[in-house]
């Protein structure tokens, strides 16, 4: 089992910045992807950004140029630097990782962007 603990959510005004962090612990052997999904009220969960163990990244189109994902493989941590936040970024953000084809999720952290 892999456990994920997130931190860094909160309330920010439009145009502001937040940094989300996630630390993985437990039976870790080889985490392939680490990243972030988000889910806004009444909407489906969507991938925001993820990074493969080799460094390849994927970003949701609407966050490209504003959000930056980083990962420390030695510490099993992943971070999401979110700049120029918009009200439409408001959602619960979930850290996730994958190992041996199994996905693991954090409990979620609320990000609220006021206009």
């Amino acid at each position: 089992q892999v456990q994920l603990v997130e931190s860094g959510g909160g309330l920010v005004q439009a145009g502001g910045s937040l940094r989300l962090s996630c630390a993985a612990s437990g039976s870790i052997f080889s985490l392939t992807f680490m990243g972030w999904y988000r889910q806004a009220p009444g909407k489906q969960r969507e991938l925001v950004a993820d990074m493969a163990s080799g460094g390849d990244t994927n970003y949701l189109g609407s966050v490209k140029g504003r959000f930056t994902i980083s990962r420390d493989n030695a510490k099993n941590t992943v971070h999401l630097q979110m700049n120029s936040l918009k009200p439409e970024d408001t959602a619960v953000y979930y850290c996730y990782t994958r190992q041996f084809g199994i996905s693991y999720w954090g409990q979620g952290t609320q990000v609220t962007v006021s206009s």
Side-chain angles (χ1 to χ4, degrees), residues 55-68:
D56 290 343
T57 58
N58 287 306
Y59 286 97
L60 179 68
S62 61
V63 309
K64 285 183 179 179
R66 300 189 296 122
F67 292 10
T68 303

Side-chain angles (χ1 to χ4, degrees), residues 94-106:
Y94 297 91
C95 177
Y96 95 103
T97 191
R98 197 175 299 163
Q99 178 170 262
F100 302 139
I102 299 172
S103 295
Y104 298 92
W105 299 89

Side-chain angles (χ1 to χ4, degrees), residues 75-96:
K75 296 181 179 179
N76 296 314
T77 57
V78 64
H79 308 279
L80 187 67
Q81 179 65 43
M82 305 185 294
N83 298 329
S84 302
L85 282 160
K86 303 176 181 180
E88 51 263 43
D89 295 317
T90 295
V92 178
Y93 284 69
Y94 297 91
C95 177
Y96 95 103

Side-chain angles (χ1 to χ4, degrees), residues 6 16 18 53 60 103:
E6 301 129 332
L18 284 173
S53 56
L60 179 68
S103 295

Side-chain angles (χ1 to χ4, degrees), residues 21-43:
S21 296
C22 175
S25 62
S27 301
I28 296 173
F29 299 95
S30 177
L31 302 178
T32 52
F33 290 94
M34 293 190 78
W36 299 88
Y37 276 73
R38 70 185 182 188
Q39 188 166 20
K43 295 187 177 181

